[in-house]
Amino acid sequence: MSITPAQAARQELTGFEGKLTGPEDSGYEEARSIYNAMIDRRPALVASCTNAKDVAHAVGFARERGLPLAVRGGGHHGAGLGSCDDGVLVDLSPLKDIQVDAEARTVRVGGGCVWGEVDRATNAHGLATPSGIISTTGVGGLTLGGGIGHLARTHGLTIDNLLEADLVLASGEQVRASADENADLYWAIRGGGGNFGVVTSFRFRLHELSTVVAGPTFWPVELGAEVLTAYRDFIPHAPRELNGFFLFGSVPPAPPFPEDLHLRKICGVVWCYAGADPEAAARAMAPLLDALPAPLLHGPAPMPHPAIQSAFDGLYPPGDQWYWRADFVNEIPADAVDQHAKFGAELPTWKSTMHLYPIDGAVHDHGPTDTAWSYRDARWASVFAGVDADPGNAELIKRWCVDYFEALHPFSAGGAYVNMMMDEGQERVRASYRDNYARLSRIKADRDPDNLFRLNQNIQPAQRP
């Protein structure tokens, strides 16, 4: 009688210090869970790793047995690429170490941390590094894909603040990647996703930032075209301290929002002014507000940086159905504005949304080939997200999302932010890396020639001569 992969792992991986869980074990359902309930995958083994040596053991086990290998940090990826069927899931969640060096303005972060943990640790010292907009997002997944968030215009992408990373390669070798050490890997992991190894530790640059002026401004969804047009013209010229992404959505049915606005469809901007002075923030926002009718709600206020980072956490807990598409955008002509206004008014569920993130300012301080993240010349990153708690609405939210994406894709720059793509095929991956794909493919051939790390937005190894 054959034994299961989990049983085999427990027999063979005698040096493994974490927990090995298979379908036959109690706790398996919790161990295999990921953020997006639309994805239901059943790995043969969940290897919860407590250190880099554990990761090397798990990677080696998958490699030697020819099993699919997935890596889960926060588990947020929309396409569910942090899990697999009948393979090995490397669970990094026990790797939670956070070390802040306030004098050097750096933080070392374990590969299993989520951003809320990092934000709280750095905020205690009056410091921050750019991340995303939901604090339950994993540090690893967001960073390796690029890292668009509330501070991008001010301090760049997350990868622009990544100083070094420790990785376990497909061979099981443990290496460090930085500007001075394994520079090819350092270039590749800054946007190239999980294609090159499992990152067990990151070190980031920190910036002086404790309090921000943040919060939403909402207008009726019927003003969508007018507000988007004004925002389009305003944000590229706003001071770098002012971050703000445009959205279509619905007012959450909970405090602090007024009851008379609950579930009302809106358009608006979620602001994050990187400074504590509300008067300076108001002056920065004023040109947009002065150009538009009075909003339904104007809520920016001073708050600790972790507060705006976690503001969406309650709105989007684990276990919802998610389907999303994304595109980079250079221009938003009138025809594109009209399409946005149409689909924004047709949100299929109250949690469904469209976000348009500005990626100018500090993001443009780097060129398209400085890191693997190619679209330094784009001006926005759009994401169309169908979201609902009810599995019965899965097809509804997917159809709206795909239709919205297809209506706007002709106006796109071609590729998309890989962290917000579904499993859309190799052509889309290539389009999202453009001229950088060939270099990434050569590094992949050197570091992972058998494509062990393929459950991702996959960069295929270059064919050797």
Side-chain angles (χ1 to χ4, degrees):
M1 181 176 178
S2 62
I3 63 174
T4 68
Q7 291 168 335
R10 281 191 282 268
Q11 290 178 11
E12 298 172 19
L13 303 183
T14 55
F16 193 87
E17 298 179 21
K19 186 175 182 180
L20 301 168
T21 306
E24 66 273 21
D25 298 318
S26 63
Y28 173 76
E29 292 301 318
E30 181 180 357
R32 75 180 182 94
S33 67
I34 56 176
Y35 185 77
N36 183 2
M38 192 179 284
I39 308 297
D40 184 24
R41 297 197 170 120
R42 302 186 65 83
L45 170 67
V46 180
S48 297
C49 302
T50 59
N51 51 48
K53 186 180 292 187
D54 280 355
V55 173
H57 279 309
V59 168
F61 184 81
R63 181 187 65 245
E64 291 164 13
R65 288 179 170 260
L67 294 172
L69 177 67
V71 183
R72 185 182 68 204
H76 268 234
H77 196 277
L81 297 178
S83 189
C84 60
D85 284 319
D86 304 320
V88 177
L89 170 56
V90 174
D91 170 26
L92 299 179
S93 62
L95 298 177
K96 292 289 192 184
D97 188 44
I98 300 174
Q99 300 173 23
V100 179
D101 185 336
E103 185 175 346
R105 294 188 188 173
T106 64
V107 60
R108 185 172 293 280
V109 178
C113 289
V114 298
W115 278 109
E117 296 162 339
V118 179
D119 294 335
R120 289 189 293 273
T122 59
N123 187 255
H125 300 273
L127 300 168
T129 199
S131 56
I133 66 164
I134 296 179
S135 78
T136 58
T137 306
V139 170
L142 182 127
T143 300
L144 296 175
I148 299 172
H150 284 304
L151 298 179
R153 298 190 76 243
T154 310
H155 295 304
L157 303 172
T158 305
I159 56 171
D160 299 334
N161 296 275
L162 177 63
L163 300 173
E164 63 184 32
D166 295 327
L167 295 90
V168 174
L169 304 183
S171 63
E173 181 185 3
Q174 298 177 41
V175 302
R176 176 161 291 176
S178 70
D180 302 317
E181 207 172 345
N182 294 295
D184 62 330
L185 274 178
Y186 180 58
W187 180 86
I189 65 173
R190 287 179 294 159
N195 276 280
F196 305 95
V198 183
V199 180
T200 58
S201 175
F202 300 84
R203 188 164 72 93
F204 297 102
R205 178 186 302 109
L206 297 174
H207 304 270
E208 285 192 14
L209 185 69
S210 176
T211 300
V212 297
V213 180
T217 303
F218 293 153
W219 287 268
V221 74
E222 292 80 10
L223 295 180
E226 183 177 356
V227 175
L228 177 54
T229 300
Y231 170 84
R232 174 201 69 189
D233 296 340
F234 161 76
I235 198 69
H237 307 290
R240 286 190 176 197
E241 292 78 12
L242 185 63
N243 298 267
F245 67 85
F246 179 90
L247 85 160
F248 285 108
S250 301
V251 179
F257 300 103
E259 286 191 22
D260 62 322
L261 294 183
H262 285 183
L263 298 180
R264 181 164 178 175
K265 290 182 180 180
I266 50 85
C267 61
V269 180
V270 177
W271 304 102
C272 181
Y273 179 83
D277 184 352
E279 293 184 0
R283 287 194 297 272
M285 299 172 194
L288 179 66
L289 296 172
D290 291 347
L292 291 166
L296 296 170
L297 174 73
H298 182 61
M303 63 182 68
H305 173 246
I308 187 60
Q309 289 293 105
S310 60
F312 286 89
D313 291 2
L315 177 60
Y316 295 118
D320 282 349
Q321 306 280 309
W322 281 79
Y323 192 90
W324 56 12
R325 292 290 182 92
D327 260 327
F328 286 120
V329 178
N330 292 330
E331 304 292 339
I332 309 174
D335 288 349
V337 169
D338 290 343
Q339 289 295 325
H340 275 297
K342 173 185 181 294
F343 282 95
E346 297 172 353
L347 296 167
T349 62
W350 76 267
K351 287 191 177 187
S352 295
T353 189
M354 190 285 296
H355 291 179
L356 194 64
Y357 302 101
I359 51 173
D360 55 4
V363 181
H364 284 186
D365 291 345
H366 302 265
T369 62
D370 290 349
T371 64
W373 205 87
S374 170
Y375 276 84
R376 298 288 182 167
D377 52 347
R379 296 174 66 188
W380 291 279
S382 60
V383 59
F384 318 92
V387 189
D388 196 61
D390 184 357
N393 285 330
E395 187 56 36
L396 174 71
I397 61 177
K398 178 179 179 180
R399 185 73 266 152
W400 171 83
C401 177
V402 171
D403 288 349
Y404 196 165
F405 164 79
E406 290 182 349
L408 269 297
H409 185 62
F411 303 99
S412 77
Y417 180 37
V418 293
N419 283 356
M420 292 177 174
M421 286 167 51
M422 301 302 284
D423 191 358
E424 299 172 34
Q426 185 63 199
E427 184 177 341
R428 279 286 278 166
V429 174
R430 288 175 177 268
S432 298
Y433 289 111
R434 299 191 296 186
D435 293 344
N436 287 344
Y437 187 92
R439 181 178 175 185
L440 286 163
S441 185
R442 291 192 297 271
I443 297 170
K444 178 77 168 180
D446 182 48
R447 299 293 186 160
D448 182 18
D450 297 323
N451 205 7
L452 179 65
F453 299 113
R454 61 184 179 274
L455 298 183
N456 44 42
Q457 302 297 354
N458 192 234
I459 294 161
Q460 296 179 350
Q463 296 297 313
R464 296 188 183 278

